[in-house]
Amino acid sequence: FKIKIIIYLSNVRNTNSMATMALYNHAAIWDDSPQLWPRGYYTNGHVKVDGEKMSKSKGNFLMMQETVQKFSADATRFACADAGDSLDDANFSRETADAAIVSLSNEEAWIMDVLSSSTTTLRTTPPSEYTFMDRVFINEIHRLVDATSHAFSTMQFREGLQHGWFEMLLARNEYRSFCKNSDNNMHADIVRQWAESLIILVCPICPHWSESMWDKLGKRHDATTTDGRRTSSSLAVHAPWPSSKPEDKMLTRRAKFLRDSLEQFRSQAGKAKKGWKVATILITESFPQWKVDTLEWMQTQYLGRKEDAFPKDFMKQLKAWTSIQNIKDKKLIKFTMQFASFTKKEVEEVGETAMETTLPFDQKSILVECLNYILSQLNLTELDIVSLDGNDDDNNNTTVIKDVPDRIKDNVLPGKPYLWLR
């Protein structure tokens, strides 16, 4: 007879013996039928409690029944999923289980409060009137739905929990903060899409919470079968996986630009001297020519990967290139070496986009649309946005540009605006 094994589960100690021999046996018996071989192996280490090996003498030995009674089934499953999926020993954390109870309860209260028809103050504008952060939030939901699906399909439950719960909450928190600080209500359809997606994404981990929330949102309907029995036809566990669209990577990049800019602005405001009265965001769409030349040369040296993105003798080749370029100014050579070294590290972090000589999006339009949010985050009442490229028609901006010190102008790069306080 033939038995088709989808996945072989084993302890890490058996990897080199039973698991390996099982694969050999399948390959030997069904040499001409590889479709009958195990499609995957899943191995795990031992289970620890709060980072320590379970032991009755230590008093940290947990039985399933008492754990469920203490933390609830969903919180126990939550902590188990977060314990880890690798060959390392999984760590069941009581603190995680306790935090799961609080988190699940808080999200239940928030969702029901926000989506309550009697108290809701959410927007109901058509999609054509979505704001920048509306679109960013929807795009993030789609990205996390796909990421969670991939993690669960490969039995990476900790990774799936990270995407399907923690990152979903972070995305909601950012959207909620943006709307609140921009004096603009959240959008009803988008919040409901997020809530329904969250419930289904976490259902494999916390099915009881998901079923309860699914029912409270009116998604569950009782039906009667032909023989008179009542059955729930729309359980969360039977609901289709949330639909998603491919991630809009350009929108993701524009959102990252806003986050990175705000982080930089906060840092610059914290380091500024006391007593400043005027704040201006300085932007530019172009690099100086010597930086353009350096970036174009780096593009020719790029090896097409983040790690070890450039040849090992990169700095040596860079120095030789500056000689070929006939750069005689020692100060400019020093700046070139520093700029290339900084960009090299950035490429290793974010990829080849760090070497682009022009931005594929309008940074000023993003800053203008999100100006109220920026003002609130920086605790400012007024803020100007000025382009150092001199393409503004405002004569006052021309005067501002002339007053900007050269040391500050050098810090303004495409995609990296500067908060000038004076």
Side-chain angles (χ1 to χ4, degrees):
F1 62 95
K2 298 180 179 179
I3 302 176
K4 186 175 181 179
I5 297 180
I6 303 299
I7 188 166
Y8 187 99
L9 305 178
S10 175
N11 184 276
V12 64
R13 288 186 175 182
N14 297 329
T15 302
N16 294 328
S17 55
M18 296 172 62
T20 304
M21 289 306 301
L23 181 59
Y24 286 157
N25 290 338
H26 278 78
I29 297 172
W30 292 292
D31 183 30
D32 299 327
S33 303
Q35 70 274 13
L36 296 178
W37 299 359
R39 291 173 57 185
Y41 276 75
Y42 186 90
T43 56
N44 59 276
H46 299 287
V47 178
K48 292 184 177 181
V49 175
D50 297 331
E52 294 184 340
K53 182 180 178 182
M54 278 199 293
S55 171
K56 290 184 178 180
S57 61
K58 292 183 178 180
N60 67 344
F61 200 91
L62 295 179
M63 300 299 290
M64 180 62 70
Q65 185 174 356
E66 68 173 281
T67 305
V68 170
Q69 289 175 346
K70 182 176 182 179
F71 299 110
S72 80
D74 279 352
T76 299
R77 292 168 65 94
F78 192 104
C80 285
D82 191 60
D85 306 302
S86 66
L87 294 177
D88 297 330
D89 293 338
N91 180 44
F92 183 93
S93 169
R94 291 187 178 97
E95 184 178 347
T96 299
D98 282 329
I101 298 173
V102 177
S103 184
L104 292 168
S105 300
N106 288 345
E107 291 312 313
E108 176 182 356
W110 186 86
I111 291 172
M112 297 314 301
D113 179 58
V114 171
L115 295 181
S116 173
S117 58
S118 60
T119 62
T120 184
T121 56
L122 303 179
R123 279 183 293 126
T124 56
T125 53
S128 59
E129 298 180 18
Y130 281 170
T131 66
F132 172 71
M133 281 306 294
D134 285 341
R135 299 191 299 274
V136 168
F137 189 34
I138 293 173
N139 187 54
E140 192 69 359
I141 293 172
H142 291 163
R143 183 186 72 82
L144 292 174
V145 166
D146 288 344
T148 305
S149 175
H150 175 73
F152 284 161
S153 66
T154 55
M155 296 186 69
Q156 299 297 310
F157 297 106
R158 186 176 189 176
E159 194 75 13
L161 186 64
Q162 180 68 28
H163 296 309
W165 182 259
F166 294 110
E167 291 184 30
M168 282 286 281
L169 298 190
L170 288 175
R172 186 278 315 275
N173 292 346
E174 181 183 54
Y175 178 65
R176 180 175 58 185
S177 173
F178 179 90
C179 292
K180 180 180 179 181
N181 294 329
S182 301
D183 295 325
N184 193 18
N185 293 330
M186 296 182 290
H187 198 284
D189 293 340
I190 300 175
V191 173
R192 179 168 285 276
Q193 177 187 354
W194 172 85
E196 292 180 1
S197 297
L198 177 74
I199 292 169
I200 299 304
L201 293 184
V202 79
C203 187
I205 307 297
C206 304
H208 307 88
W209 182 86
S210 292
E211 293 296 350
S212 174
M213 291 301 300
W214 202 241
D215 186 25
K216 290 180 179 181
L217 289 185
K219 303 294 291 184
R220 177 178 174 180
H221 308 285
D222 289 339
T224 303
T225 61
T226 54
D227 59 0
R229 290 184 297 106
R230 297 188 63 81
T231 179
S232 296
S233 59
S234 300
L235 292 171
V237 71
H238 294 154
W241 193 253
S243 60
S244 63
K245 296 179 181 179
E247 177 190 1
D248 185 341
K249 294 187 179 297
M250 184 53 63
L251 185 55
T252 300
R253 187 173 172 188
R254 292 169 66 196
K256 185 178 184 301
F257 160 76
L258 178 61
R259 296 188 195 101
D260 292 347
S261 297
L262 264 173
E263 183 179 353
Q264 184 68 13
F265 295 160
R266 293 190 191 99
S267 175
Q268 291 161 353
K271 296 177 181 178
K273 295 181 180 179
K274 295 182 179 180
W276 54 268
K277 299 179 179 180
V278 182
T280 304
I281 294 178
L282 303 174
I283 63 173
T284 183
E285 301 293 338
S286 59
F287 287 101
Q289 188 57 46
W290 68 270
K291 288 187 177 180
V292 173
D293 294 339
T294 303
L295 290 171
E296 290 178 343
W297 176 80
M298 290 183 67
Q299 291 172 8
T300 65
Q301 301 297 309
Y302 183 55
L303 299 178
R305 55 179 182 265
K306 285 186 179 181
E307 297 182 2
D308 299 324
F310 297 95
K312 293 183 178 180
D313 60 345
F314 172 78
M315 297 305 294
K316 182 178 180 181
Q317 291 190 37
L318 175 61
K319 191 172 183 179
W321 175 77
T322 57
S323 300
I324 297 174
Q325 293 294 108
N326 199 27
I327 301 177
K328 298 181 180 180
D329 188 341
K330 292 185 178 180
K331 191 174 182 180
L332 182 57
I333 293 177
K334 179 182 177 181
F335 288 159
T336 300
M337 300 291 284
Q338 291 176 341
F339 176 68
S341 178
F342 173 79
T343 305
K344 177 177 177 289
K345 293 179 181 178
E346 196 170 18
V347 170
E348 292 170 349
E349 292 179 1
V350 303
E352 59 185 323
T353 56
M355 298 183 291
E356 291 178 343
T357 56
T358 57
L359 282 180
F361 58 84
D362 185 353
Q363 53 186 340
K364 185 173 183 178
S365 66
I366 297 174
L367 295 173
V368 169
E369 184 173 351
C370 303
L371 188 58
N372 288 338
Y373 179 59
I374 297 173
L375 287 170
S376 177
Q377 290 290 300
L378 299 178
N379 197 24
L380 299 174
T381 57
E382 188 176 350
L383 186 62
D384 297 324
I385 302 175
V386 176
S387 173
L388 295 181
D389 299 327
N391 49 15
D392 293 320
D393 296 330
D394 192 337
N395 292 329
N396 184 51
N397 288 349
T398 303
T399 304
V400 171
I401 295 173
K402 292 180 180 179
D403 294 338
V404 180
D406 290 339
R407 62 179 179 81
I408 291 181
K409 287 183 179 179
D410 291 340
N411 288 322
V412 184
L413 300 173
K416 296 179 181 178
Y418 190 93
L419 181 64
W420 183 33
L421 303 170
R422 60 201 186 280

